[in-house]
Amino acid sequence: MLVVMNHNAGNEDIDRVVETIREMGYEARPIPGRQRTSVGLIGNDGRVDAGRLEGLPGVREVIPVTKPYKQVSREWKEDDTVVTLPNGTAIGGPEVALFAGPCAVESEEQILGIARRLRDAGATVLRGGAFKPRTSPYSFQGLGLEGLKLLARAREETGLAVITEAIDPEGVDLVAEYADVIQIGARNMQNYPLLRRAGRVGKPVLLKRGMSATINELLLAAEYLLAEGNDQVILCERGVRSFDTHTRNLLDLTAIPVVKSLSHLPIIADPSHGTGVRAKVIPMARAAVAAGADGLIVEVHPDPTRALSDGAQSLYPEQFEELVGQIEVIARAIGRSLVPALHAAGSRG
Ligand code: PEP
Ligand code: MN
């Protein structure tokens, strides 16, 4: 339930609404907006006396939030959420953000080399798994803590922000020590203890759509993060299972405008896992930006044929460079631009 204030309501009116909600035994969350402030009532068990709130000074109306996800919905918050990273990359505003890097961190030489190249090409966020959720227990599982340290070094040297995956609740705090964004992978989209922990960690979270998850399930998974107090959430469409075998997954680009209408949260696209095939990554990356994605997360490896994971879908660095030029044009055609490239090491140019 949402208590919408008049545009000229004062702070004392808002405080009174917050206090009244608390007195009624619920949690209150003020949501400042461009036009007016609203106060969200969390935990509505169907017994809330809306009349008591409607009668308070400064209250314009009390509206039920009809969607099963509450804080994630546009009914709850009309304005787009913009997630801003320490290096200035803003996700969810007018700019399109480029996240790129190898599937997994493999060595110092690999990650530092590719990080410099990606920064020079115009990416502002470096991806790379240190803890890898592999389909087979015999596949490379990642460098773990050493991988996190290498990512932090790459950030120091290049100014790129760092995103990496946490695969279990116990690992969230460690990942948060090193990363600017915590990635929750497709296989873990409905790992509720992991979501709750990530919701309390105080860092932005990228939540990837599960490979068989509906859009409502994705939004409800995100609700776990917001319910714990973390509204710095970026959603990611990374493809769903389909009956066709030409690609690894079916990148559901419809999800982008659908999510945009249902939720205020930013959504980016992962054309790498979304296709699983290098030659299909660039066309789908272009299409995702055209469809309104707030960014891309793309796997790029200095030598894909030798990659320890996902080599078949990893772009060569020069392909990424070419893609950035194309994305720039597409972004401009729809009234957007790319997040400005980083120039001098460790700072924004
Ligand atoms: C990844 O980003 O490397 C990854 C494992 O992705 P997903 O969780 O989407 O499969
Ligand atoms: Mn991968």
Side-chain angles (χ1 to χ4, degrees):
M1 181 173 279
L2 204 61
V3 182
V4 182
M5 305 301 294
N6 283 324
H7 72 273
N8 57 358
N11 283 339
E12 66 287 357
D13 295 328
I14 296 167
D15 291 346
R16 197 177 301 107
V17 168
V18 168
E19 262 165 48
T20 308
I21 291 175
R22 289 190 183 141
E23 262 170 36
M24 291 160 80
Y26 302 97
E27 199 186 319
R29 199 160 289 171
I31 311 158
R34 259 185 316 206
Q35 307 283 341
R36 50 174 54 87
T37 293
S38 299
V39 183
L41 181 151
I42 296 164
N44 187 359
D45 51 7
R47 287 182 298 175
V48 177
D49 175 10
R52 185 166 164 198
L53 295 166
E54 268 160 355
L56 294 174
V59 172
R60 178 187 151 104
E61 58 180 334
V62 176
I63 52 175
V65 177
T66 57
K67 297 285 191 288
Y69 38 88
K70 304 293 175 190
Q71 299 183 57
V72 160
S73 72
R74 272 230 193 255
E75 292 171 67
W76 186 271
K77 179 170 177 270
E78 201 181 337
D79 299 341
D80 289 341
T81 288
V82 180
V83 177
T84 304
L85 307 185
N87 75 349
T89 302
I91 303 121
E95 292 169 349
V96 175
L98 298 178
F99 298 42
C103 180
V105 181
E106 297 171 1
S107 69
E108 176 166 348
E109 187 196 358
Q110 175 235 23
I111 198 71
L112 293 184
I114 196 73
R116 288 188 203 104
R117 194 130 183 214
L118 294 169
R119 190 244 353 247
D120 292 347
T124 63
V125 185
L126 176 66
R127 63 147 291 146
F131 299 95
K132 294 303 302 174
R134 302 305 300 280
T135 303
S136 162
Y138 307 117
S139 300
F140 175 60
Q141 304 284 311
L143 296 181
L145 177 59
E146 191 196 335
L148 296 179
K149 290 183 175 165
L150 291 175
L151 286 167
R153 279 222 32 214
R155 171 177 48 215
E156 246 167 68
E157 288 212 5
T158 60
L160 292 165
V162 161
I163 177 168
T164 193
E165 182 167 353
I167 57 174
D168 47 36
E170 302 73 42
V172 168
D173 292 355
L174 181 67
V175 167
E177 260 180 59
Y178 291 90
D180 299 298
V181 184
I182 297 159
Q183 178 172 326
I184 307 250
R187 290 159 191 77
N188 268 320
M189 187 200 85
Q190 288 177 311
N191 181 338
Y192 302 119
L194 175 62
L195 293 173
R196 286 201 190 279
R197 190 70 156 258
R200 289 196 294 265
V201 80
K203 286 240 166 139
V205 173
L206 178 90
L207 178 63
K208 298 186 91 174
R209 180 179 181 182
M211 53 192 82
S212 303
T214 64
I215 292 171
N216 273 14
E217 286 165 343
L218 170 65
L219 296 174
L220 279 164
E223 186 77 12
Y224 271 82
L225 297 164
L226 275 80
E228 293 295 328
N230 191 349
D231 60 357
Q232 298 295 287
V233 175
I234 306 158
L235 303 172
C236 179
E237 165 57 43
R238 50 77 73 204
V240 291
R241 285 264 157 111
S242 110
F243 46 83
D244 198 276
T245 52
H246 285 91
T247 54
R248 180 177 175 185
N249 289 298
L250 178 68
L251 186 65
D252 176 13
L253 292 183
T254 328
I256 293 165
V258 170
V259 164
K260 287 260 154 216
S261 65
L262 297 175
S263 175
H264 53 86
L265 294 175
I267 179 162
I268 69 170
D270 176 347
S272 306
H273 296 86
T275 62
V277 185
R278 182 178 311 117
K280 309 292 180 278
V281 172
I282 289 184
M284 295 316 286
R286 295 189 297 231
V289 172
D294 294 304
L296 296 171
I297 182 163
V298 183
E299 287 186 339
V300 187
H301 194 284
D303 186 358
T305 57
R306 283 175 217 267
L308 298 182
S309 59
D310 286 348
Q313 67 194 32
S314 297
L315 295 184
Y316 286 89
E318 49 275 21
Q319 288 182 294
F320 181 74
E321 288 158 3
E322 191 185 339
L323 173 64
V324 175
Q326 298 174 348
I327 294 300
E328 198 163 16
V329 176
I330 294 167
R332 208 175 325 123
I334 54 171
R336 302 182 83 165
S337 58
L338 295 189
V339 169
L342 304 157
H343 294 299
S347 65
R348 279 170 70 76

